[in-house]
Amino acid sequence: MRRVISILLMTVLGLSFMMIFHSSNVYACSCAQPQTVKDQFSRSEAVFSGKVLEVKEQKNLNGSMTKAALFDVSRIWKGGTESQIIIHTGSGGGDCGFKFENGKEYLVYAQPSTMYGDKELLVTIICDRTVALDQAQEDLAVLGEGKLPTEQVHLEGELSRTQPFIWVAVIGVVVIGMTFFLVRRKWRK
C-alpha cells in the first residue's frame, strides 16, 4: 500500500510541476511593409479610438506574459457598440507587443487571435496601424468621423480576475497536501 501511495504522490507532484512550469512557444516579431489604412481596416474586426484606463500584465497558462489594456471608447469605425473594450497585446521585447500607457488616447486596430494564449482574444501588435491618437491624422482622414458608442458597459473588474494557472497551482498544492496527510496518517497506524 505504501508503494502505491508513493507512486500516486510522485505522479501528482510531477503533473503539478508540468502544469505550472511547462515550456511555451516563443515567436520573434517580424513586420512586413506597413499596411494601408484600407487594408488594415478590412482585416481588423475592431477599429476604434479611446483612452487607456488600465494596463495589466497577465501570465497565461502556456507561460507567456501578455498585457491587457482596458479602453474607454470614444469613437468606433468597426466592431461593437460598447463604451469599453479590452485589447490584448504582448509584453514587448520581441513578441510584437504594443506599449500602451495609462491615460493616453490611441487609434486601435484589433483582430481576433490566439497569438497570446489558448483562447481567441482581440489583439493588436506593433505591426498593426495602432498608434497614439495625436499621431493618427492620416488614418483619421481616411476613416472619417466614426460613431459614438451606444452601449454603456463597465469592464473594470475584468482585468482583475485571477488567472487560471493560479487555480491549477492551488488545486495541485491542495491535492499534494491531502495526499501527504493521508500517507502520514496511514504510516502512524
Side-chain angles (χ1 to χ4, degrees), residues 111-131:
Q111 55 278 334
S113 175
T114 57
M115 180 179 209
Y116 298 117
D118 295 333
K119 64 181 187 175
E120 201 167 76
L121 303 166
L122 269 181
V123 170
T124 192
I125 58 175
I126 60 172
C127 300
D128 294 330
R129 291 189 65 92
T130 296
V131 67

Side-chain angles (χ1 to χ4, degrees), residues 1 8 17 20 25 27 47 58 70 73 77-78 101 105 107 109 124 131 159 167:
M1 181 69 172
L8 179 63
F17 280 115
I20 295 170
N25 294 331
Y27 302 98
V47 180
Q58 300 177 327
L70 173 62
V73 177
W77 287 271
K78 190 174 184 180
E101 295 177 32
E105 290 188 275
L107 173 63
Y109 294 87
T124 192
V131 67
L159 293 184
W167 289 111

Side-chain angles (χ1 to χ4, degrees), residues 10 52 71 98 129:
M10 293 302 277
V52 175
F71 283 87
F98 191 93
R129 291 189 65 92

Side-chain angles (χ1 to χ4, degrees), residues 10-23 61 168:
M10 293 302 277
T11 303
V12 169
L13 275 170
L15 290 173
S16 296
F17 280 115
M18 287 179 6
M19 289 291 289
I20 295 170
F21 299 112
H22 78 285
S23 63
L61 278 175
V168 171

Side-chain angles (χ1 to χ4, degrees), residues 9 15 51 69 78 128 148 154 183:
L9 180 62
L15 290 173
K51 182 178 186 178
K78 190 174 184 180
D128 294 330
L148 294 172
H154 300 283
V183 167

Side-chain angles (χ1 to χ4, degrees), residues 48-61:
F48 67 92
S49 64
K51 182 178 186 178
V52 175
L53 299 176
E54 181 181 5
V55 178
K56 194 157 213 151
E57 278 199 333
Q58 300 177 327
K59 185 170 184 177
N60 297 314
L61 278 175

Side-chain angles (χ1 to χ4, degrees), residues 46-105:
V47 180
F48 67 92
S49 64
K51 182 178 186 178
V52 175
L53 299 176
E54 181 181 5
V55 178
K56 194 157 213 151
E57 278 199 333
Q58 300 177 327
K59 185 170 184 177
N60 297 314
L61 278 175
N62 67 5
S64 64
M65 291 297 292
T66 61
K67 290 185 180 177
L70 173 62
F71 283 87
D72 188 28
V73 177
S74 54
R75 291 278 177 191
I76 301 168
W77 287 271
K78 190 174 184 180
T81 59
E82 294 87 9
S83 61
Q84 291 185 343
I85 191 170
I86 296 173
I87 299 296
H88 298 267
T89 192
S91 59
D95 66 358
C96 297
F98 191 93
K99 185 177 183 204
F100 290 113
E101 295 177 32
N102 286 333
K104 198 167 179 181
E105 290 188 275

